[in-house]
Amino acid sequence: MKAKTTETTPKKAETKKQESVLTELQTKRERKVVLMQGNEAVAYGALDAGVNFFAGYPITPSTEIAEILALELPKRGGVFIQMEDEIASICAITGASLAGAKALTATSGPGFSLMQEGIGFAKITETPCVVVNVQRMGPSTGMPTSPAQGDIMQSKWGSHGDSPAIVLYPDSVKESYELTIRAVNLSEKYRTCVILLLDEVLGHMREAVRLPDMANVRVISRIKPTVPPHWYKHYDENQKYLSPLASYGEGYRFHVTGLTHDVHGFPTNKATEAAEMMERLRKKISYNIRDLVQIESHKMEDAKIAIFAAGIVSRAAKAAIAMARQEGILVGLLRPLTIWPFPDDAVRKMLRNVETVIVPELNQGQLIHEIQRLTKDKSESNVISLQRVNGQLLSPNDILRKIKEVS
Amino acid sequence: MATIPQRIIHEYLRHDKKFPHVWCSGCSIGIVLGAIIRAIASMNIDRDDIVMVSGIGCSSRMPVYVDFNTLHSLHGRSIAYATGVKLYKPHLKVIVVTGDGDCTAIGGNHLIHAARRNIDLSVILINNFIYGMTGGQCSPTTPQEAIATTAPYGNIEPEFNICELAMGAGASHVARTTAFHTQEVQGMVKDAINHPGFSLVEVISACPVIYGRLNKKGGAPQMMKDMRDNSIPLTAVDKLPPEKVEGKIIRGTLRRDIRPEFCAEYAKLVERVKTAEGKNEEL
């Protein structure tokens, strides 16, 4: 059909014809609007991003992710395995990734804590993988089916040693899907363990979502080496610290270790090589902040009060802003989709015009430290914390009350 | 250049990388490494198809020196990493080298579950009865009454019998020998690699510098002699009176069992699910 069209039609018409065919295909293949949980969206996002290896251990409120992938991965020839614990899970996905897989695991707070050593290993060895943490209230076993945002700092500082983090934080079911794909893409591009933080409410909440056609999903895969094996450096410094990555079994026979290593991956005690490795880990994140950071600005143009909120809390904030604006209070919202690296520049710029910042969060004050750090010149009364840690959400009215208090 | 007798071993080493090695003189780990290499050389496996995975400890340094795909992972987690590698690329031969502390203390959980799954990993466990790299602390295999830096008055804990532990968990191939019996090590490693399923080879080893010194074992040559004199082959056990068997290390293949292997079972599941899917689509 296609060949015939090319032969018989003039150039302009040909382009049009092809476009229409494409549109038709898209319409046919376009997925219906479905009612979907955040956890389901993560699972489908993972599949669409090309994840073909999942190892996990059951923990509320993340189990649906494992359950769906247990159902879907075998159909696509992918691997699903339920490991003996969370530590084994992070290790297995790292091992699989070294063998060439796009690998993901999902867990919640206590499991996330167990994984920290393995997350550090994935970071120092620069092995792509994704850890989804559907946060629940802690510390310890806490309240397994109640929301909290207590892992914001753990996601950055949880692993020992200095290890720059990439952490994404969605606020809706659709965004859970999108940011899962982004997490996989970033992990492949930057060769690191990327963390996706989800709120318990989001994991279990259902929203109507239309997943995009696969043709519109941008999938990034690791760069493969093109040099002969004896030229291959497992940690080659090329542009922006993103280097090609060979897999086991492809003839490159590289060494991977959690010890401080040189560019070939072999352990080293030399101060210069150690510093080089640490700088490399830091720079590949800090030099690419523009690519990594995403932030949403909502009604900030004329705002005198700014709310800085992530995840599910930002939705209550949006409702509160609508109510406050009806009463003439000029308030807006800043919402980071990437919480680590922290969007310093964007926040500084947008905060320049406001008098007060409210930071509502479901913890005893974690995000607020970053805002305080960036607003050193302002007095303490300009940065106001609104905290809740009782297993309940902050409602729009809670936030509205605070807005009125400070306006 | 003169011919070097250990030519085979040299072929498989990463000469230009990180030598000299970290092992003390008199240590058995090099002997086991030699046996592993000779076993692989005799089997003509392409070294691109071998992944050697280890955890943390003296024996776990082995992957640095050999020219395979190598992974020096976290303490105790070698089997978990190996599971990921093997499951994603089942055609690779995955060899885990580990020690008694690494595999049966912190890594005990992964050991028993890999054995239960019967995933095709070849675990070469070098048992020297002590934590060598951290300076001589008690391990799960330190004999009762032996001295360790964390048991200065003598160890009061009963020790693990690693082979029994692995068999209890369902390992389908289990063997034990000592570093003195190099030919046996080589044969058992070969069997383990050939075996389609989870295999464990326990190699009783000498750590003269730490375990030997703390427990007055008389140095490396004496410890080697002890391994020779204090072990008996499994085939001789029935022929000897019980008093001659008691307290001896039993060498031999303790179990060789063919049962469904995990990666193969998973491949079958994928096939089954895909076929069912295809049928659904037709309907």
Side-chain angles (χ1 to χ4, degrees):
Chain A
M1 275 290 277
K2 197 183 157 192
K4 260 188 189 174
T5 325
T6 330
E7 275 168 24
T8 50
T9 46
K11 264 205 166 179
K12 269 192 179 176
E14 177 203 332
T15 338
K16 263 193 178 175
K17 181 86 182 170
Q18 278 187 345
E19 263 174 18
S20 73
V21 169
L22 198 66
T23 329
E24 194 186 301
L25 267 174
Q26 272 178 356
T27 330
K28 262 189 192 170
R29 281 171 55 202
E30 198 157 43
R31 287 169 263 191
K32 289 175 193 163
V33 176
V34 278
L35 203 57
M36 187 184 278
Q37 279 189 337
N39 282 345
E40 286 177 76
V42 169
Y44 291 120
L47 292 168
D48 284 357
V51 166
N52 51 13
F53 192 99
F54 179 95
Y57 186 80
I59 182 168
T60 304
S62 76
T63 41
E64 289 85 358
I65 299 172
E67 286 165 2
I68 292 166
L69 291 173
L71 205 61
E72 295 297 327
L73 276 171
K75 290 181 194 169
R76 299 153 201 247
V79 180
F80 172 90
I81 181 171
Q82 181 172 322
M83 295 298 285
E84 51 272 16
D85 57 32
E86 283 91 347
I87 299 173
S89 306
I90 181 80
C91 297
I93 65 164
T94 310
S97 179
L98 286 168
K102 277 195 181 181
L104 177 137
T105 186
T107 187
S108 183
F112 191 57
S113 296
L114 286 177
M115 285 181 186
Q116 289 297 349
E117 191 191 8
I119 290 172
F121 183 87
K123 284 181 183 170
I124 195 176
T125 60
E126 302 187 41
T127 308
C129 60
V130 174
V131 176
V132 182
N133 174 9
V134 189
Q135 296 172 93
R136 63 195 225 180
M137 191 170 153
S140 191
T141 314
M143 292 160 86
T145 53
S146 295
Q149 300 181 314
D151 298 345
I152 286 173
M153 284 300 172
Q154 191 194 182
S155 67
K156 179 172 170 62
W157 299 114
S159 201
H160 58 281
D162 291 298
S163 58
I166 302 176
V167 183
L168 311 181
Y169 207 152
D171 81 334
S172 68
V173 172
K174 183 155 194 292
E175 208 173 86
S176 301
Y177 169 84
E178 291 164 353
L179 290 193
T180 304
I181 294 173
R182 186 166 155 77
V184 177
N185 285 346
L186 291 180
S187 79
E188 291 282 316
K189 184 171 177 186
Y190 291 101
R191 286 183 56 179
T192 190
C193 178
V194 174
I195 291 155
L196 180 75
L197 277 187
L198 225 65
D199 293 301
E200 181 276 337
V201 180
L202 198 48
H204 282 159
M205 179 172 72
R206 284 189 163 80
E207 283 185 303
V209 176
R210 182 196 295 275
L211 297 186
D213 184 88
M214 268 311 288
N216 297 326
V217 175
R218 188 164 164 252
V219 173
I220 300 175
S221 298
R222 60 192 72 173
I223 310 165
K224 301 301 282 183
T226 48
V227 296
H230 56 282
W231 287 2
Y232 177 69
K233 282 184 197 165
H234 195 58
Y235 305 98
D236 197 5
E237 274 190 40
N238 63 3
Q239 46 154 358
K240 291 186 180 177
Y241 297 89
L242 316 172
S243 56
L245 179 57
S247 305
Y248 288 150
E250 289 177 347
Y252 287 88
R253 298 203 301 270
F254 52 91
H255 182 62
V256 171
T257 177
L259 289 165
T260 300
H261 45 255
D262 60 18
V263 290
H264 291 281
F266 290 100
T268 178
N269 282 326
K270 281 187 196 155
T272 47
E273 285 177 345
E276 199 178 296
M277 189 207 77
M278 290 303 286
E279 277 299 277
R280 185 190 151 82
L281 294 182
R282 186 180 68 82
K283 282 179 184 169
K284 77 173 175 183
I285 308 291
S286 62
Y287 280 24
N288 292 295
I289 276 191
R290 271 162 190 252
D291 183 34
L292 291 168
V293 162
Q294 282 188 328
I295 187 159
E296 184 198 349
S297 171
H298 175 70
K299 296 195 190 300
M300 283 298 292
E301 302 77 26
D302 57 347
K304 291 280 167 263
I305 302 170
I307 296 176
F308 188 84
I312 199 74
V313 177
S314 64
R315 295 174 59 140
K318 271 184 196 165
I321 288 164
M323 293 192 276
R325 284 208 168 242
Q326 277 185 349
E327 297 181 31
I329 307 171
L330 295 176
V331 53
L333 170 79
L334 283 185
R335 177 175 74 89
L337 282 75
T338 310
I339 58 166
W340 307 114
F342 198 74
D344 282 15
D345 288 349
V347 171
R348 263 198 209 103
K349 199 171 153 195
M350 286 189 268
L351 292 182
R352 211 170 284 153
N353 303 319
V354 300
E355 288 153 10
T356 314
V357 189
I358 303 173
V359 187
E361 47 186 336
L362 300 175
N363 53 47
Q364 292 182 326
Q366 298 196 14
L367 269 182
I368 193 164
H369 293 308
E370 297 302 310
I371 303 297
Q372 282 165 341
R373 177 171 65 80
L374 295 170
T375 51
K376 272 187 289 215
D377 50 327
K378 299 198 175 186
S379 74
E380 245 176 60
S381 59
N382 292 120
V383 182
I384 289 146
S385 182
L386 175 58
Q387 305 166 1
R388 173 163 294 172
V389 271
N390 60 358
Q392 302 288 311
L393 288 175
L394 279 163
S395 72
N397 275 325
D398 296 325
I399 297 172
L400 181 65
R401 214 171 296 131
K402 203 59 160 183
I403 294 171
K404 283 183 177 170
E405 241 175 64
V406 301
S407 67
Chain B
M1 208 172 137
T3 322
I4 308 160
Q6 293 89 0
R7 198 174 45 81
I8 295 172
I9 291 176
H10 286 212
E11 253 175 42
Y12 282 80
L13 296 180
R14 286 165 165 158
H15 303 275
D16 49 340
K17 300 296 182 334
K18 294 290 163 181
F19 276 87
H21 58 70
V22 297
W23 301 313
C24 311
S25 54
C27 173
S28 300
I29 296 168
I31 297 171
V32 181
L33 174 59
I36 292 174
I37 287 174
R38 278 189 292 269
I40 289 167
S42 74
M43 294 165 79
N44 284 323
I45 308 170
D46 187 340
R47 67 188 80 187
D48 288 338
D49 292 340
I50 293 175
V51 185
M52 187 182 268
V53 187
S54 71
I56 297 294
C58 298
S59 49
S60 291
R61 280 298 182 104
M62 207 185 275
V64 180
Y65 310 120
V66 281
D67 193 14
F68 302 129
N69 301 285
T70 47
L71 172 54
H72 178 219
S73 71
L74 293 174
H75 187 40
R77 315 299 169 199
S78 49
I79 291 176
Y81 279 95
T83 300
V85 174
K86 181 71 187 177
L87 202 47
Y88 188 68
K89 283 197 175 152
H91 73 278
L92 296 174
K93 298 274 183 198
V94 183
I95 301 166
V96 176
V97 280
T98 178
D100 42 309
D102 188 56
C103 191
T104 65
I106 185 166
N109 201 24
H110 310 306
L111 169 67
I112 57 175
H113 287 282
R116 170 181 65 84
R117 287 187 189 109
N118 197 32
I119 184 164
D120 185 12
L121 305 176
S122 312
V123 179
I124 316 301
L125 195 158
I126 299 168
N127 181 5
N128 61 4
F129 308 106
I130 201 107
Y131 284 88
M133 195 159 268
T134 43
Q137 295 79 16
C138 248
S139 100
T141 58
T142 305
Q144 262 182 311
E145 293 171 19
I147 305 290
T149 53
T150 47
Y153 308 111
N155 179 28
I156 56 167
E157 293 182 23
E159 69 267 23
F160 260 145
N161 181 327
I162 293 174
C163 289
E164 274 179 22
L165 174 73
M167 287 191 283
S172 53
H173 183 279
V174 178
R176 182 197 291 126
T177 185
T178 83
F180 176 84
H181 302 86
T182 50
Q183 292 299 313
E184 245 174 52
V185 179
Q186 189 180 323
M188 283 175 182
V189 169
K190 200 173 159 182
D191 286 350
I193 295 172
N194 272 331
H195 177 75
F198 185 85
S199 44
L200 181 125
V201 179
E202 180 188 6
V203 186
I204 307 287
S205 298
C207 169
V209 171
I210 297 179
Y211 181 75
R213 186 174 48 81
L214 286 173
N215 291 286
K216 301 188 170 54
K217 294 287 182 186
Q222 188 55 45
M223 288 181 87
M224 275 289 165
K225 280 181 196 159
D226 286 348
M227 285 196 279
R228 178 192 65 190
D229 300 337
N230 290 333
S231 66
I232 48 172
L234 184 64
T235 44
V237 170
D238 293 339
K239 295 168 197 159
L240 290 167
E243 63 271 17
K244 287 210 168 176
V245 174
E246 212 190 300
K248 295 277 161 84
I249 298 162
I250 314 277
R251 305 189 328 262
T253 303
L254 308 174
R255 180 189 281 173
R256 188 180 292 157
D257 206 4
I258 300 293
R259 64 182 185 91
E261 193 272 326
F262 184 71
C263 298
E265 289 302 296
Y266 189 80
K268 277 188 213 163
L269 176 135
V270 167
E271 209 44 51
R272 185 155 50 86
V273 172
K274 274 186 172 172
T275 322
E277 272 291 291
K279 274 181 191 161
N280 284 345
E281 269 172 27
E282 276 166 33
L283 292 170

